[in-house]
Amino acid sequence: MSSDDEFFNIAEQEHAAGIDRSIPHSARIWNYWLGGKDNFPVDRAAGDQYVETFPGIIAIARLTRHFLKRSIRFLAEDAGIRQFLDVGTGLPTVDNTHEVAQRIAPDARVVYVDNDPLVLLHAHVLLTSTPEGTTEYVEADMRDPQAILEGAARTLDLSKPVGLTFMGVLGHVEDDEQAAATVAHLMDGLAPGSHLAIGDGANTISAEFAEAQRTYDEGGSVPYKLRSEDQIRRLFDGLDLLPPGIVPCLDWRPEVTPVEPPPAIQPLAGIARKGG
């Protein structure tokens, strides 16, 4: 089946599931910015409106995706992680968590977590595993970490290290205390040697970025909170933050030297290890 056939098959299932395609959807807008096909005119219009106000959002989307790939490669190659828990999956694009991990370790086991029926619908159709490994999906809200752990335990051995990732999603938990408690609860349920990787938007933004975000938040999509470096650092409390610490995405163990100057505004990124 071609990618176009898959898309239209999913579109039919979306209609059957009662998913409203007349309202812009953050996952589909993000997919559009990343060059994906799983989006509709309303999503492209919302995405274009954001880009018109703040063109740098496309670079931010791509930088977060590149950090996801680098972090999974680091966890699989350098840290020897063979189990991954991807919370807030988003729509599948290119080089999803299991694809990157299983290129390095074909037996890697990956659990994707989301509570969005649109994302889960796409995931079941498009995310498949190597024969040696496993890819599974847990329908759960990231605000319910215990449900995530219970669902993940059906596929992952939580007595062994796990790579836990949050890529561009923690801003959907607007309360700082709740965001920190969510991450801490999940890490408490994972074995020593587990790692936490976070890539997220920072609130060091321009007037254009602020206006684009305001319009986005008021346009029907789920609002997103941008946090300070200190607020993001707090999400790693109790863990051993790995060098180079919390830095702009491009500065976290870059694999190549960028040809173009880095954008003035970048997401922040960091990886930490659970000791013990």
Side-chain angles (χ1 to χ4, degrees), residues 10-28:
I10 292 170
E12 292 173 0
Q13 294 183 52
E14 285 184 12
H15 180 72
I19 292 173
D20 189 350
R21 290 185 282 162
S22 67
I23 298 174
H25 190 286
S26 60
R28 290 195 304 246

Side-chain angles (χ1 to χ4, degrees), residues 12 41 54 64 71 106 157 160 166 174 179 189 195 218 256 274:
E12 292 173 0
F54 177 61
T64 303
S71 65
D157 180 353
K160 296 180 180 178
F166 291 91
E174 295 185 74
H195 286 63
E218 295 175 355
V256 296
K274 180 178 180 178

Side-chain angles (χ1 to χ4, degrees), residues 81-84 157-163 191-195:
I81 298 293
R82 293 296 179 265
Q83 304 187 112
F84 297 86
D157 180 353
L158 301 188
S159 69
K160 296 180 180 178
V162 173
S194 293
H195 286 63

Side-chain angles (χ1 to χ4, degrees), residues 186-204:
L186 286 171
M187 289 304 298
D188 285 346
L190 303 180
S194 293
H195 286 63
L196 169 66
I198 296 175
D200 219 328
N203 65 0
T204 52

Side-chain angles (χ1 to χ4, degrees), residues 60 64 67 166-168 197-204 227-233 236 245-250 252 265-270:
I60 287 175
T64 303
F67 174 65
F166 291 91
M167 296 294 162
I198 296 175
D200 219 328
N203 65 0
T204 52
R227 292 189 162 90
S228 69
E229 180 179 338
D230 286 342
Q231 289 170 322
I232 292 175
R233 185 179 303 277
F236 293 95
I246 298 170
V247 295
C249 270
L250 277 177
W252 200 92
I265 298 173
Q266 293 187 43
L268 294 175

Side-chain angles (χ1 to χ4, degrees), residues 132-149:
E132 304 94 327
T134 301
T135 302
E136 292 293 346
Y137 322 94
V138 171
E139 183 174 2
D141 192 309
M142 75 175 79
R143 298 169 186 81
D144 190 352
Q146 188 58 37
I148 293 174
L149 290 171

Side-chain angles (χ1 to χ4, degrees), residues 143-144 173-183 227 234:
R143 298 169 186 81
D144 190 352
V173 183
E174 295 185 74
D175 183 82
D176 293 334
E177 297 293 332
Q178 186 178 21
T182 295
V183 175
R227 292 189 162 90
R234 188 186 167 201

